[in-house]
Amino acid sequence: MITSPDQIDEIFWNALQLTSDEERTVYLERACGANDELRRLVEKLLRAQPKAAAFLEQPFPGPHA
C-alpha cells in the first residue's frame, strides 16, 4: 500500500498530541486501518521522538579550538 509523507506526518503529529498509550493505540488503529506499513512508520517515529527532543535541548558546543 502506498503511503504519502503527508499522511505519515499528519498521523504522527496527531498521535503525538495524545497523552496515553491507550488513546494512541485506538487512534492509530482508526487512522492507519489495514495499512500495516503506515502504522509501523508512525510508531517508529513516535518511539524516536523523545530522543530527538532531548537532542534538540542540548546546547551546541560551538567550534573546537
Side-chain angles (χ1 to χ4, degrees):
M1 199 173 283
I2 297 175
T3 302
S4 77
D6 290 338
Q7 185 181 25
I8 296 167
D9 189 55
E10 179 181 353
I11 293 171
F12 166 73
W13 287 108
N14 287 338
L16 197 58
Q17 302 306 311
L18 302 173
T19 55
S20 78
D21 291 338
E22 205 171 283
E23 288 177 311
R24 281 186 182 170
T25 299
V26 170
Y27 172 72
L28 291 175
E29 286 173 359
R30 187 171 39 93
C32 298
N35 190 339
D36 294 334
E37 177 189 8
L38 174 60
R39 179 136 183 197
R40 277 193 301 276
L41 289 169
V42 172
E43 287 176 338
K44 186 175 183 178
L45 288 171
L46 289 168
R47 284 191 304 274
Q49 192 278 333
K51 294 175 190 171
F55 170 78
L56 294 173
E57 290 173 2
Q58 299 297 315
F60 182 71
H64 296 286

